[in-house]
Amino acid sequence: MISVIIPTKNSERQLVLVLAALVQGVTAGVLRDVILADADSTDDTAAIADAAGCTLFTSMHDMGVRLRQGAAMARGRWLLFLQPNSILEEGWPREVSTFLETVERRGLGDRTVATFRLSVDGYGFKPRFGEAVAAARLALLGLPQAGQGLLISRKHYERLGGHPSGVAPQKRLFSRIGRRRIHVLRAHVLLPEKAQRGVSE
């Protein structure tokens, strides 16, 4: 089973849809718990977390530290890091289950990670161009956007030292993992068009 960890900061508007999409994982028996690593939100993020049964903790540390703290609190053997605007599309639990079963059967669970295919919300050229750029970046550089998610075993995460402190913790963790060990799931994650700003967070 997996634990989902999401860094939040005044994320109430986005968070409702993100958490609603995670319900599929609960009903499928894939998702164990959801942890919100909050940066002292002043909106209703805490109320939403409470209503959804999530664990929320507040920390003034940078995002990398908060993500490591969230991972330490998680109960699952696998960790799924998402952004507060990452909406997993229907059917994701089946794809995740297949991936976990395959890598564990082959003894690759502590060396292989996964990310979701990117879908950009919106119509017309710009969203499709954003998807193409993200796919090319992943293929050439092995760098998914942070919003595409990272599914990684707890053991592998700890061996890598978790998310680094300082700037761009998620981008730097992907770099540590290496492009050859990142598997792209067939399931998609939906991001808003305005989130197409690279992997700097």
Side-chain angles (χ1 to χ4, degrees):
M1 295 182 72
I2 66 173
S3 294
V4 173
I5 300 136
I6 304 173
T8 55
K9 172 67 175 179
N10 293 331
S11 306
E12 62 171 327
R13 293 180 62 186
Q14 305 160 314
L15 203 52
V16 173
L17 294 177
V18 173
L19 296 179
L22 292 177
V23 172
Q24 300 175 56
V26 177
T27 57
V30 173
L31 179 59
R32 182 164 187 173
D33 56 342
V34 178
I35 297 169
L36 305 184
D38 192 64
D40 199 23
S41 293
T42 56
D43 64 358
D44 287 332
T45 294
I48 291 170
D50 182 63
C54 303
T55 298
L56 180 143
F57 71 91
T58 299
S59 171
M60 294 304 294
H61 292 294
D62 66 33
M63 185 183 292
V65 175
R66 285 190 285 126
L67 290 172
R68 293 200 307 271
Q69 291 173 329
M73 298 172 62
R75 294 179 292 169
R77 289 181 55 238
W78 284 78
L79 310 173
L80 175 56
F81 295 93
L82 296 174
Q83 292 295 285
N85 56 4
S86 301
I87 303 174
L88 297 179
E89 296 191 330
E90 189 167 352
W92 70 266
R94 181 173 57 254
E95 181 72 6
V96 165
S97 295
T98 299
F99 168 76
L100 296 182
E101 291 170 3
T102 299
V103 295
E104 292 189 349
R105 183 175 67 248
R106 296 178 179 176
L108 301 174
D110 295 332
R111 298 194 299 275
T112 305
V113 308
T115 190
F116 293 90
R117 295 185 187 276
L118 177 65
S119 290
V120 181
D121 195 14
Y123 298 100
F125 171 76
K126 196 171 180 181
R128 306 293 78 78
F129 179 73
E131 292 171 355
V133 169
R137 185 180 182 89
L138 179 55
L140 295 174
L141 304 177
L143 290 176
Q145 289 201 28
Q148 287 180 249
L150 169 63
L151 179 62
I152 183 171
S153 74
R154 176 189 294 276
K155 186 175 180 180
H156 192 184
Y157 182 77
E158 292 175 348
R159 186 169 63 243
L160 290 169
H163 286 85
S165 305
V167 299
Q170 297 170 99
K171 177 180 178 180
R172 289 159 61 199
L173 180 57
F174 273 122
S175 296
R176 287 181 184 176
I177 293 167
R179 57 179 292 187
R180 294 173 181 257
R181 296 185 175 181
I182 300 174
H183 174 76
V184 183
L185 301 169
R186 288 179 293 180
H188 287 75
V189 60
L190 183 67
L191 291 178
E193 186 176 336
K194 65 182 180 180
Q196 302 304 296
R197 298 177 300 180
V199 291
S200 60
E201 296 280 29

